[in-house]
Amino acid sequence: MEKKLWGGRFSEGTDAFVEEFTESISFDKELALYDIKGSIAHARMLGKQGIIPQEDAEKIIEGLEEIKKEIEEGRFQWKKELEDVHMNIEKALIEKIGNAGGKLHTGRSRNDQVITAFRLYLKEETNNIIQLLKELKKTLLKKAKETIDIVMPAYTHLQRAQPIRLAHYFLAYLEMYNRDEERFSDTLKRIDQMPLGSGALAGVDFPIDRKMTAKELGFSQIMRNSLDATASRDAIIEFLSDAAICMSNLSRQSEDLIIWNSTEFSFVELPDKLTTGSSIMPQKKNPDVLELIRGKTGRVYGDLIALLTVVKGLPMAYNRDLQEDKEPVFDTVRTLKGSIIGMTKIIEGLKPRKDIMEAAAGGFALATDLANYLVNKGLPFRQAHHVVGQIVGYLTQQNRGLESITLDELKKFSPLFEEDALNILNPHYVADARKSYGGTAKERILEQIKYWEEKLIL
């Protein structure tokens, strides 16, 4: 059995159950390269400050570089009895370079070591997610430019509401994903803070240079309070919250496209390479990527709730419960990155069915605009709403659409209707009539596109 690096106080070996129950190496080895990065910076600082001999610092750095190479090449042997990634690497270092390896842990604790590695990991992955969101935004902008001349019905309560340009829809999600990116960028400020040097909870009794270490590791800030540095996980929770919101946006768009891809709607066609078939029904073309984004959203919600639950009752400062912070984050990072990539590919490859969309944009979807016509003629909106409601009821009883009504019929409901009222029965005309802020007129869509072209530097 491996001798524990912390085992001096104990008179008997650890029970096999405890070793199995408390190990984290099965998942936290994902932090290995970040742990080594933190240890190299720490060793370099210890040597510069004269806390350990310079030659020992150089041996430590050389040994860690060798271990890093072994890990990258898949040759490193992980041992569960050594509990976690940090102890595995430290024990391997001591075996490789001798007593000098035992000096690496001078001036730090596993408490500040683990959260330093975790923050380095999360800082990198947050930047990766931000870049993926940028690519998704560019894809949405490109699709908006391609679809600016397609008119479709927008929906409230999943019922046809008013005609809009399809580009307006894609630009709406661009705005939503942009806010997601802004949230991650803002959270990055709170992730990008170095806890190393806080020790177990009360700082360390050596003349360490935290500014040097922070610069080596690329942290823009240093955490001021050692209790806070080792015990807090709110920046991690904030990241999970950002991810949950982003997944909700991805899930909503997935639901839209799943519905639009159905035979009942047939608004879009998804590329064959991004769909799957049925084992029994030859005609099926299933939107599995979108369905899995929708389904995996629940996992990310669960990850957020899991960590909130872990920290809600913890006394200050570090508690072993915080070992449970990593798996939810690893899961969320993998799930979110995959979902963003999947949505980007779907948007890039989907083909709108213009004829079907535009046919659906007519009919009763134009009712609000007909009411607005009467308002512009001087009728109070509530009366105009009532008049058009009567028209809809009249046509519904005859199983007719709004586009079938004649001017003579319109005049039976209000003498304010004139020849130009028939323009309202053209969804393209109606979409272009909305020239106000946020409207669907082509010129307004082009304004949005120009704004995003400048922002995204296309």
Side-chain angles (χ1 to χ4, degrees):
M1 180 176 289
E2 289 279 353
K3 184 179 179 181
K4 306 294 185 184
L5 294 177
W6 44 259
R9 178 252 184 271
F10 294 84
S11 60
E12 59 181 355
T14 307
D15 189 282
F17 161 76
V18 175
E19 289 196 338
E20 184 70 27
F21 188 70
T22 62
E23 68 83 22
S24 61
I25 189 60
S26 57
F27 55 85
D28 69 10
K29 60 187 176 183
E30 191 160 345
L31 296 177
L33 299 184
Y34 304 95
D35 183 68
I36 289 174
K37 183 177 181 179
S39 291
I40 288 174
H42 184 65
R44 190 168 283 129
M45 181 274 297
L46 291 175
K48 173 182 171 292
Q49 294 295 100
I51 297 171
I52 65 173
Q54 185 62 41
E55 59 267 28
D56 285 345
E58 291 171 2
K59 283 183 184 178
I60 289 169
I61 293 169
E62 184 178 340
L64 288 170
E65 292 286 4
E66 290 178 13
I67 292 170
K68 177 184 176 184
K69 187 175 181 181
E70 290 174 16
I71 292 171
E72 290 174 333
E73 295 176 353
R75 294 186 289 111
F76 189 84
Q77 297 297 310
W78 300 104
K79 298 177 180 179
K80 189 175 288 188
E81 58 269 25
L82 291 174
E83 301 175 17
D84 60 28
V85 61
H86 318 291
M87 288 300 193
N88 266 266
I89 291 172
E90 186 175 342
K91 185 66 181 294
L93 179 67
I94 293 170
E95 291 174 353
K96 190 177 289 287
I97 68 171
N99 287 336
K103 298 179 180 181
L104 171 61
H105 210 54
T106 306
R108 75 175 182 186
S109 161
R110 265 194 298 181
N111 293 359
D112 62 347
Q113 180 184 0
V114 61
I115 191 58
T116 298
F118 202 16
R119 282 176 177 267
L120 285 170
Y121 159 84
L122 200 53
K123 181 179 170 183
E124 182 174 307
E125 290 294 5
T126 301
N127 277 313
N128 290 339
I129 288 166
I130 287 170
Q131 290 306 309
L132 289 174
L133 284 169
K134 288 183 187 296
E135 290 305 311
L136 176 54
K137 286 160 56 182
K138 288 178 182 178
T139 302
L140 284 162
L141 180 57
K142 183 180 178 183
K143 191 61 68 172
K145 291 168 71 175
E146 293 173 1
T147 59
I148 193 168
D149 289 321
I150 299 176
V151 173
M152 64 166 291
Y155 292 80
T156 61
H157 308 280
L158 206 56
Q159 299 182 71
R160 292 176 188 171
Q162 292 179 276
I164 61 168
R165 292 184 180 275
L166 179 54
H168 203 51
Y169 168 86
F170 289 122
L171 291 168
Y173 273 101
L174 194 161
E175 296 280 357
M176 293 164 75
Y177 296 131
N178 185 65
R179 290 193 295 275
D180 287 323
E181 182 188 331
E182 289 176 345
R183 274 185 283 271
F184 281 113
S185 294
D186 195 56
T187 297
L188 195 55
K189 300 172 191 174
R190 286 170 285 284
I191 295 171
D192 189 19
Q193 299 178 6
M194 190 190 75
L196 198 60
S198 300
L201 79 165
V204 295
D205 299 324
F206 299 93
I208 61 174
D209 185 347
R210 298 186 77 201
K211 289 183 179 179
M212 174 187 172
T213 313
K215 185 175 180 181
E216 285 271 336
L217 294 176
F219 283 109
S220 63
Q221 300 175 65
I222 296 171
M223 299 189 78
R224 292 179 292 273
N225 186 288
S226 57
L227 284 174
D228 173 54
T230 57
S232 65
R233 292 298 185 272
D234 51 300
I236 314 298
I237 293 169
E238 186 178 351
F239 168 84
L240 291 175
S241 177
D242 297 344
I245 295 170
C246 186
M247 284 299 297
S248 75
N249 291 335
L250 290 162
S251 183
R252 288 186 69 180
Q253 187 163 30
S254 294
E255 175 72 357
D256 285 339
L257 298 179
I258 289 166
I259 292 171
W260 290 6
N261 182 67
S262 67
T263 304
E264 286 70 22
F265 273 68
S266 296
F267 279 3
V268 298
E269 182 178 356
L270 302 180
D272 287 353
K273 66 181 180 180
L274 297 175
T275 56
T276 64
S278 165
S279 64
I280 189 173
M281 294 169 283
Q283 82 280 11
K284 294 293 291 298
K285 183 177 174 182
N286 299 326
D288 283 14
V289 172
L290 295 168
E291 291 174 345
L292 283 170
I293 292 172
R294 187 176 61 184
K296 287 175 182 289
T297 298
R299 290 175 63 126
V300 176
Y301 289 179
D303 292 335
L304 170 60
I305 296 302
L307 190 50
L308 282 168
T309 305
V310 166
V311 302
K312 74 173 182 62
L314 291 187
M316 192 67 80
Y318 182 84
N319 297 270
R320 190 65 178 269
D321 311 50
L322 292 175
Q323 177 175 297
E324 295 300 306
D325 64 354
K326 294 165 198 66
E327 285 184 286
V329 172
F330 295 156
D331 179 62
T332 285
V333 167
R334 285 190 295 267
T335 303
L336 180 57
K337 287 167 66 177
S339 297
I340 297 171
I341 291 169
M343 183 59 76
T344 302
K345 288 179 176 291
I346 290 286
I347 297 297
E348 188 176 46
L350 70 82
K351 295 178 181 178
R353 290 174 165 164
K354 180 177 180 180
D355 55 338
I356 297 176
M357 282 188 160
E358 297 200 338
F364 295 128
L366 302 167
T368 301
D369 301 280
L370 197 61
N372 289 341
Y373 172 90
L374 292 174
V375 170
N376 286 326
K377 294 290 186 178
L379 196 65
F381 178 77
R382 281 298 161 212
Q383 293 180 37
H385 185 286
H386 182 74
V387 168
V388 176
Q390 288 181 318
I391 293 171
V392 170
Y394 164 76
L395 292 172
T396 300
Q397 289 176 355
Q398 299 181 43
N399 199 26
R400 293 166 58 194
L402 190 57
E403 71 282 354
S404 70
I405 199 165
T406 66
L407 181 58
D408 288 339
E409 287 178 299
L410 286 173
K411 283 183 172 295
K412 292 178 181 178
F413 292 93
S414 173
L416 294 175
F417 285 118
E418 297 177 14
E419 187 72 30
D420 62 344
L422 298 179
N423 291 333
I424 305 301
L425 307 182
N426 181 338
H428 271 273
Y429 173 87
V430 167
D432 262 345
R434 300 196 198 98
K435 299 184 184 296
S436 60
Y437 170 77
T440 59
K442 188 171 183 177
E443 62 193 85
R444 292 292 181 257
I445 305 297
L446 288 171
E447 287 173 4
Q448 292 183 59
I449 288 173
K450 182 181 178 182
Y451 171 83
W452 283 112
E453 283 180 328
E454 292 173 354
K455 290 278 287 187
L456 299 175
I457 316 176
L458 289 184

